[in-house]
Amino acid sequence: MHSESASLPSRRDLLSLIGAVAGSAAMIHAMTALGFASESGYKGPIELDGDPKGASVLILGAGLAGMTAALELRKAGYKVQVLEFNSRPGGRNWTLRGGDKFTELGGVRQTCEFDEGLYINPGPWRIPYHHRAVLDYCKRLNVALEPFIQLNHNALLHGSKAFGGKPQRIREIKTDFQGHVSELLAKVTRQGKLDEGVSKEDREILLQALQSWGALDKDYAYKANLISADFRGFAKEPGGGLGAAPVPGEPIALSDILQSRMWRYLQNFALHEFQTTMFQPVGGMDMIGKAFAREIGGIVRYDARVTRIQQDDRGVIVTFSDAKNPATPQQTKADWCVCTIPLSILSQLPLDVGARMKAAIDAVPYASAVKVGLQFKRRFWEEDEAIYGGISYTDLPIRQIAYPNTGFNAGGRGVLLGAYLFEGANAYEFTSLAPAERVARAVEFGASLHPQYKAEFENGVSVAWHRVPFTLGCAGNWTDKARAEHYDNLCQIDGRIVLAGEHASYLPGWQEGAILSSLDAIARLHARVVKT
Amino acid sequence: MHSESASLPSRRDLLSLIGAVAGSAAMIHAMTALGFASESGYKGPIELDGDPKGASVLILGAGLAGMTAALELRKAGYKVQVLEFNSRPGGRNWTLRGGDKFTELGGVRQTCEFDEGLYINPGPWRIPYHHRAVLDYCKRLNVALEPFIQLNHNALLHGSKAFGGKPQRIREIKTDFQGHVSELLAKVTRQGKLDEGVSKEDREILLQALQSWGALDKDYAYKANLISADFRGFAKEPGGGLGAAPVPGEPIALSDILQSRMWRYLQNFALHEFQTTMFQPVGGMDMIGKAFAREIGGIVRYDARVTRIQQDDRGVIVTFSDAKNPATPQQTKADWCVCTIPLSILSQLPLDVGARMKAAIDAVPYASAVKVGLQFKRRFWEEDEAIYGGISYTDLPIRQIAYPNTGFNAGGRGVLLGAYLFEGANAYEFTSLAPAERVARAVEFGASLHPQYKAEFENGVSVAWHRVPFTLGCAGNWTDKARAEHYDNLCQIDGRIVLAGEHASYLPGWQEGAILSSLDAIARLHARVVKT
């Protein structure tokens, strides 16, 4: 929060002191008392004061971490050069549109056949409101945003063995579970079975609250009536004119919801990372990468595959090959290096760093993820089923079907995210398939939720992140144990090299992590340069 | 759902039969069994087959009900004429922008001083996804839509006597209440205090579900840790680089939430009417009214104040005065009349209808509502507080502060809905104030939630619906008793006159009610014309 930034440091110092002296529980209490509702790691545009004394920095990777470093270091007076593997900026900040081609590991080349204006984001696709750094760069770089819908009450939950395989509306499972829970707790409260911990006065208010929140009737029952229908929806919606009275539907029994396991999905709508209001850039996520590239201009060298990183006490030498002339290795030098190459790649390169950083680089496996985009002749999910944006969940291998959050209600063709597999055996299995087969399976499985699939499908494209040459995986998959042992070693400056990227953050897989790690890395690098 | 419309009538007939023979409970069960997840009153574009035989229809009011009737009856071959009180189309479908002027009852004239591109919608401002008729007309008339954010987890709940008057984040109240409820129910479940109604197997699954849904730890406790923080947000957000570990905050105690009464607001985010995905037209709600007016072209006569409605068995004669020449009454005739004049106005006009319709017209009081729009120098709610769209609630007389759902993150000036009072003494009190005083109070009260108000406020505008000459109130405020006694009498065709509008629907105050009532009215009118 910008307006508070002037007063924050002293409070933070105080908190660090409390944390060090009295432990984390005391620190939490102190933070609450000091009014830290939520402190972001981003305090507004970074200020790199002090003279860089003509120093040069070589940045490896033109993803968001690399381009953040390039933008800010150049602004601070450094000589900056960027090497990028791809022939485009952005890295995982990537959008696939009609005409785009890409080749995955194994050599299979796909050409996206989507109509003009349709796209999928194979990598990041949503921006939480509390990712202050991403939002601030979007603002500074004039990237227009629109809401990303995470929870659509009218989207589907599907269990292949639940409710005879018939998809349920999220609003019904969500409302009915909450209603039954409220009814159960109201019953034991009225029976005097609650702990002494809840006072008599609070018990009375609790009953009122459960009645309101759980859609209970005057007898604290959750059942078919216009009260529950006001939340779960109606069997017959209220209308106009004669014969227009609404008719409530029958709630799903608690036992059926419990046995269906569909309650598992409800937390996806409540997680801080997925809370309203989320955003997406208008036109595709790569609008951010393109805006950065526009801003930093000609200092990015594309099609440059780094093959070796050397350093001594005078500087850094990086060897790379140009994709158009791969047989002739080239070299470039700088005083310092900010390396944002994913650890999955970096761990395979000759790299002059100490044993501790090397161990950290080797310690982080990369998550498996697969996305499939499917184009359909018409937006049947809107026209037939009143599903506008958001996500349906299933226990089938495709896991999710996500509906486009743009072009609402306008008709015409549309592209669904027809599968989003993240970790688990199904992600590895899909990765092993040929791209066309992934698409075919996504259509086959998706038809269990939307029978219109088979008549309306036109074409598809898929990205399996373990086969993407520039990352060999989706994102750093830290365990708590690996983080405790290696994270700080990964982030320390090693000689003249510092690492940045989502892998060097507590926000794995998020663009915010990439930018925040980059800002932290260059702040420390700059402090060292200024001091020497 | 359009794809089902062909097969619906027979199922509906069956249901009516079940309802008549076996009562509504049996009907609900039958509807569920027949797979009526949710039946809308709108089945796609109306088809008025058959020859209108040159009949003419006079439509009173160019709000959405009147313009729907005009569009469809003209298409069916009727001679159609529309009389409208205002000098613009739309009625309550209305947007105020810089330069707009309007005069309220009592003669006070306001000029809106908002900057270019900023607006408020004094009347309807949101469209639920299940309002199929409104959405279909938007599609047919090319009205672009964008999401309306009802629930913003980072917006505020404020109680003047709760938490020392300090606003709370919705995400914290919402998550903490759910967490405490889950903990309480998990505890009694583990203590074996639940009814026999929940089987042993279900109890085990219930515990898992409460743990997942309520963010409970392994001991089924809800407390300060990274589990609850993943839902309620962090005291210190996870970051990047060194020193970036997240710190959880301390949940608010159940007793404090109960005593604060802030749980009352949680249902606003769960109600079917307010569920995601909601919409607003890009650029203002009046884009719908304007699109209708464009479509029906020159058949609307504006500035026409109806003063008398007469009928006999040959036709209808309506007397009106032109606002520019009020001293000279004029008359127009037609075979039939669709009257969409609000009952608050219609009850005061000489009108030739039977006693039962007259009693119905007199039986419906109109709800009081006040909206205040406030322009600020900058979008401090986004810049300082990370609140993007959605609504904050307070127990102060202003009740709500709603943030604009467009132009996100782009900076510049912004307009808040600074007060939205609906019914209750505060609405009547604000109605009694001069417009400038309403604005001043909204600024004064709003500063309790946003201290930036006083430095950033620029100008404001207010609409108190009981002082709006063309409605004298916000919407028909049916009681269950009045509806049972009068609703069908209101909707019946009386001779050559039929009424339409939100007041003739089960969706009071909603544009969907206006359109559905109009479609039902003209379908019955047309059946009568074709039959005679």
Side-chain angles (χ1 to χ4, degrees):
Chain A
M1 304 184 194
H2 303 186
S3 67
E4 296 188 337
S5 56
S7 63
L8 280 173
S10 63
R11 294 203 293 181
R12 293 177 78 193
D13 293 346
L14 175 62
L15 287 167
S16 299
L17 185 67
I18 294 172
V21 173
S24 68
M27 188 161 99
I28 293 169
H29 285 284
M31 290 187 84
T32 306
L34 285 167
F36 275 88
S38 178
E39 187 201 348
S40 163
Y42 186 70
K43 306 291 171 215
I46 193 168
E47 287 173 21
L48 300 175
D49 299 329
D51 186 0
K53 303 161 192 163
S56 61
V57 182
L58 179 60
I59 295 166
L60 305 180
L64 295 200
M67 291 196 288
T68 298
L71 187 155
E72 300 294 355
L73 290 173
R74 196 183 59 169
K75 195 171 148 203
Y78 289 85
K79 294 175 203 142
V80 176
Q81 192 191 348
V82 184
L83 297 182
E84 165 57 40
F85 175 89
N86 290 305
S87 52
R88 58 166 182 83
R92 281 165 280 183
N93 175 286
W94 184 22
T95 299
L96 281 170
R97 302 181 183 81
D100 287 344
K101 297 172 199 300
F102 76 104
T103 304
E104 64 176 43
L105 219 68
V108 180
R109 188 169 176 83
Q110 294 178 74
T111 301
C112 181
E113 295 172 13
F114 297 159
D115 271 30
E116 173 94 32
L118 304 179
Y119 66 85
I120 62 158
N121 298 313
W125 53 319
R126 48 193 164 192
I127 305 172
Y129 68 84
H130 44 85
H131 283 190
R132 308 304 297 153
V134 175
L135 290 173
D136 195 37
Y137 280 99
C138 285
K139 189 173 186 175
R140 288 159 62 188
L141 300 172
N142 293 311
V143 176
L145 301 177
E146 63 193 358
F148 176 97
I149 309 299
Q150 174 75 22
L151 164 59
N152 175 345
H153 284 76
N154 211 39
L156 307 175
L157 297 179
H158 172 258
S160 43
K161 288 169 193 151
F163 305 106
K166 193 186 161 197
Q168 306 295 304
R169 298 282 179 175
I170 290 173
R171 62 183 151 82
E172 294 180 349
I173 298 292
K174 180 173 181 287
T175 308
D176 292 348
F177 182 72
Q178 187 164 314
H180 290 305
V181 162
S182 298
E183 184 185 78
L184 284 178
L185 187 58
K187 192 177 282 179
V188 292
T189 303
R190 296 173 80 209
Q191 290 168 341
K193 290 177 179 170
L194 281 195
D195 262 13
E196 294 306 309
V198 184
S199 73
K200 187 161 178 300
E201 188 197 350
D202 282 354
R203 273 178 244 169
E204 289 304 314
I205 310 177
L206 177 62
L207 284 173
Q208 294 170 35
L210 292 171
Q211 198 171 45
S212 160
W213 183 70
L216 308 184
D217 68 12
K218 65 178 173 28
D219 303 318
Y220 301 95
Y222 182 73
K223 58 187 186 190
N225 53 34
L226 292 174
I227 301 168
S228 63
D230 267 343
F231 293 83
R232 70 190 308 283
F234 298 81
K236 175 171 174 283
E237 295 276 349
L242 293 174
V247 179
E250 184 72 47
I252 304 166
L254 175 61
S255 182
D256 291 340
I257 295 176
L258 291 173
Q259 302 274 344
S260 78
R261 258 73 177 180
M262 284 181 180
W263 45 263
R264 288 183 297 146
Y265 301 112
L266 297 178
Q267 66 162 241
N268 290 329
F269 314 123
L271 280 166
H272 187 46
E273 283 179 339
F274 296 149
Q275 284 173 1
T276 48
T277 305
M278 300 197 83
F279 293 106
Q280 63 182 19
V282 176
M285 189 57 86
D286 71 353
M287 293 297 174
I288 300 179
K290 287 176 175 171
F292 265 104
R294 232 178 1 248
E295 181 72 16
I296 62 177
I299 61 177
V300 183
R301 176 161 182 164
Y302 294 102
D303 298 313
R305 180 195 192 100
V306 172
T307 55
R308 183 166 191 185
I309 303 167
Q310 294 166 278
Q311 65 167 320
D312 59 23
D313 53 13
R314 286 161 308 165
V316 181
I317 301 177
V318 170
T319 309
F320 66 98
S321 66
D322 189 296
K324 286 151 196 159
N325 184 15
T328 313
Q330 304 184 44
Q331 288 196 327
T332 186
K333 293 181 188 182
D335 299 321
W336 303 92
C337 176
V338 176
C339 175
T340 74
I341 296 173
L343 303 182
S344 46
I345 308 278
L346 194 60
S347 59
Q348 301 176 44
L349 296 182
L351 169 67
D352 290 347
V353 291
R356 290 204 288 191
M357 183 182 273
K358 192 76 185 80
I361 289 169
D362 291 343
V364 186
Y366 265 51
S368 186
V370 180
K371 278 187 179 175
V372 179
L374 304 174
Q375 176 172 312
F376 294 91
K377 284 176 208 153
R378 65 184 183 93
R379 292 166 73 113
F380 57 81
W381 51 92
E382 297 186 352
E383 293 167 4
D384 302 351
E385 298 171 83
I387 296 175
Y388 300 90
I391 305 172
S392 290
Y393 292 88
T394 172
D395 63 355
L396 293 172
I398 55 172
R399 289 291 185 271
Q400 305 184 21
I401 293 175
Y403 310 92
N405 294 304
T406 195
F408 290 119
N409 201 46
R413 289 183 161 78
V415 164
L416 295 183
L417 180 64
Y420 180 24
L421 298 70
F422 193 86
E423 284 294 284
N426 58 329
Y428 288 94
E429 191 192 333
F430 261 65
T431 300
S432 75
L433 300 174
E437 183 60 20
R438 290 175 213 139
V439 169
R441 295 235 188 148
V443 173
E444 180 69 29
F445 286 123
S448 296
L449 283 80
H450 296 292
Q452 303 96 323
Y453 258 49
K454 299 207 170 175
E456 309 290 354
F457 171 70
E458 291 191 320
N459 62 71
V461 72
S462 86
V463 173
W465 280 96
H466 265 122
R467 299 179 83 149
V468 170
F470 62 93
T471 59
L472 302 179
C474 164
N477 207 5
W478 285 98
T479 59
D480 288 349
K481 186 168 171 296
R483 203 183 273 281
E485 199 174 335
H486 295 292
Y487 178 81
D488 280 3
N489 294 336
L490 187 81
C491 296
Q492 298 292 354
I493 298 173
D494 184 304
R496 295 180 162 270
I497 296 173
V498 66
L499 308 189
E502 56 80 22
H503 47 273
S505 82
Y506 279 81
L507 290 156
W510 287 101
Q511 297 176 121
E512 181 80 356
I515 295 180
L516 290 180
S517 92
S518 182
L519 292 174
D520 180 69
I522 63 172
R524 286 183 285 123
L525 186 71
H526 179 69
R528 189 165 296 192
V529 169
V530 170
K531 208 167 61 182
T532 53
Chain B
M1 303 185 196
H2 304 183
S3 67
E4 294 190 339
S5 56
S7 62
L8 280 174
S10 63
R11 294 202 294 182
R12 292 175 81 193
D13 293 347
L14 176 63
L15 287 167
S16 299
L17 185 67
I18 295 171
V21 173
S24 69
M27 188 160 102
I28 292 169
H29 284 284
M31 291 187 84
T32 306
L34 285 167
F36 274 89
S38 179
E39 187 202 347
S40 164
Y42 185 71
K43 305 292 171 215
I46 193 169
E47 287 173 22
L48 299 175
D49 299 328
D51 186 359
K53 304 161 191 164
S56 61
V57 182
L58 178 60
I59 295 165
L60 305 181
L64 295 199
M67 290 196 289
T68 297
L71 187 156
E72 299 295 355
L73 289 173
R74 195 183 60 169
K75 195 171 148 203
Y78 289 85
K79 293 176 203 143
V80 177
Q81 193 191 345
V82 185
L83 296 183
E84 165 57 38
F85 175 88
N86 289 306
S87 51
R88 58 166 182 84
R92 280 165 282 184
N93 176 287
W94 184 23
T95 300
L96 280 171
R97 301 180 183 82
D100 287 344
K101 296 171 200 300
F102 77 104
T103 304
E104 65 177 42
L105 219 68
V108 180
R109 188 169 177 82
Q110 293 178 73
T111 302
C112 181
E113 295 172 14
F114 296 160
D115 271 29
E116 174 93 33
L118 304 179
Y119 66 85
I120 61 159
N121 298 312
W125 52 319
R126 49 194 164 192
I127 304 172
Y129 69 83
H130 45 84
H131 283 190
R132 310 302 298 152
V134 175
L135 290 173
D136 195 36
Y137 280 99
C138 284
K139 189 172 186 176
R140 288 158 64 188
L141 300 173
N142 294 311
V143 176
L145 301 177
E146 64 193 358
F148 176 96
I149 309 299
Q150 173 75 22
L151 164 59
N152 175 345
H153 285 76
N154 212 39
L156 308 174
L157 298 179
H158 171 257
S160 44
K161 288 169 193 150
F163 305 105
K166 194 186 161 198
Q168 306 296 302
R169 297 284 180 175
I170 289 172
R171 63 183 152 82
E172 294 180 348
I173 298 292
K174 180 173 181 287
T175 308
D176 292 348
F177 183 72
Q178 187 163 312
H180 289 304
V181 162
S182 298
E183 184 184 78
L184 285 177
L185 187 57
K187 192 177 282 179
V188 292
T189 302
R190 296 173 81 209
Q191 289 168 342
K193 290 177 179 170
L194 281 195
D195 262 15
E196 294 305 310
V198 184
S199 73
K200 188 162 177 299
E201 188 197 352
D202 283 353
R203 272 177 245 170
E204 288 304 314
I205 310 176
L206 178 61
L207 284 173
Q208 294 170 35
L210 292 171
Q211 198 170 46
S212 161
W213 183 71
L216 307 184
D217 68 12
K218 64 178 172 31
D219 303 318
Y220 303 95
Y222 182 74
K223 58 188 187 190
N225 53 34
L226 292 174
I227 302 167
S228 62
D230 267 343
F231 293 83
R232 69 191 308 283
F234 298 81
K236 177 172 172 284
E237 296 276 349
L242 294 173
V247 178
E250 184 72 47
I252 304 165
L254 175 60
S255 182
D256 291 340
I257 295 175
L258 291 173
Q259 302 274 344
S260 77
R261 257 73 177 181
M262 283 181 179
W263 45 263
R264 289 184 295 147
Y265 300 112
L266 297 177
Q267 66 162 240
N268 291 327
F269 314 123
L271 280 165
H272 188 45
E273 285 179 337
F274 296 147
Q275 284 173 1
T276 47
T277 304
M278 301 198 83
F279 293 106
Q280 63 183 18
V282 175
M285 189 57 85
D286 71 353
M287 292 298 174
I288 301 178
K290 286 176 176 170
F292 265 103
R294 230 176 5 247
E295 182 73 16
I296 61 176
I299 60 176
V300 183
R301 175 159 184 168
Y302 294 102
D303 298 312
R305 180 197 193 99
V306 172
T307 54
R308 181 166 191 182
I309 303 168
Q310 294 166 281
Q311 66 166 322
D312 58 25
D313 52 13
R314 287 162 307 166
V316 180
I317 300 176
V318 170
T319 310
F320 65 98
S321 65
D322 190 295
K324 286 152 195 156
N325 184 14
T328 313
Q330 305 184 44
Q331 287 196 328
T332 186
K333 292 181 190 185
D335 298 320
W336 302 91
C337 176
V338 176
C339 174
T340 73
I341 296 173
L343 303 182
S344 46
I345 307 279
L346 194 60
S347 59
Q348 301 176 45
L349 296 183
L351 168 67
D352 290 346
V353 293
R356 290 204 288 191
M357 183 182 273
K358 191 77 186 83
I361 290 169
D362 291 343
V364 186
Y366 265 51
S368 186
V370 179
K371 279 187 178 173
V372 179
L374 305 174
Q375 177 172 310
F376 294 90
K377 284 176 207 152
R378 65 184 185 93
R379 293 165 73 113
F380 57 81
W381 51 94
E382 296 185 353
E383 293 167 3
D384 302 351
E385 298 170 84
I387 296 175
Y388 300 90
I391 305 172
S392 290
Y393 291 88
T394 171
D395 62 355
L396 293 172
I398 55 172
R399 289 292 185 270
Q400 306 184 19
I401 293 175
Y403 310 92
N405 295 303
T406 195
F408 290 118
N409 201 46
R413 289 182 161 77
V415 164
L416 295 183
L417 180 65
Y420 180 23
L421 297 71
F422 193 86
E423 284 294 284
N426 58 328
Y428 288 94
E429 191 192 333
F430 262 65
T431 300
S432 75
L433 300 174
E437 183 62 18
R438 289 175 213 139
V439 169
R441 294 235 189 149
V443 172
E444 180 69 29
F445 286 124
S448 295
L449 283 80
H450 296 292
Q452 302 96 323
Y453 258 48
K454 300 209 169 172
E456 308 290 354
F457 171 71
E458 291 191 320
N459 62 72
V461 71
S462 86
V463 174
W465 280 95
H466 265 123
R467 300 180 83 147
V468 170
F470 62 93
T471 58
L472 302 180
C474 164
N477 206 5
W478 286 97
T479 60
D480 289 348
K481 185 168 172 295
R483 203 183 274 281
E485 198 174 336
H486 295 292
Y487 179 80
D488 280 2
N489 294 336
L490 187 80
C491 296
Q492 298 292 354
I493 298 173
D494 184 304
R496 295 179 162 270
I497 296 173
V498 66
L499 308 189
E502 55 80 23
H503 48 273
S505 83
Y506 278 82
L507 290 155
W510 288 100
Q511 296 177 118
E512 181 80 356
I515 294 180
L516 290 180
S517 92
S518 182
L519 292 173
D520 180 69
I522 63 173
R524 287 182 284 122
L525 187 71
H526 180 66
R528 189 165 295 193
V529 170
V530 170
K531 208 168 60 184
T532 53

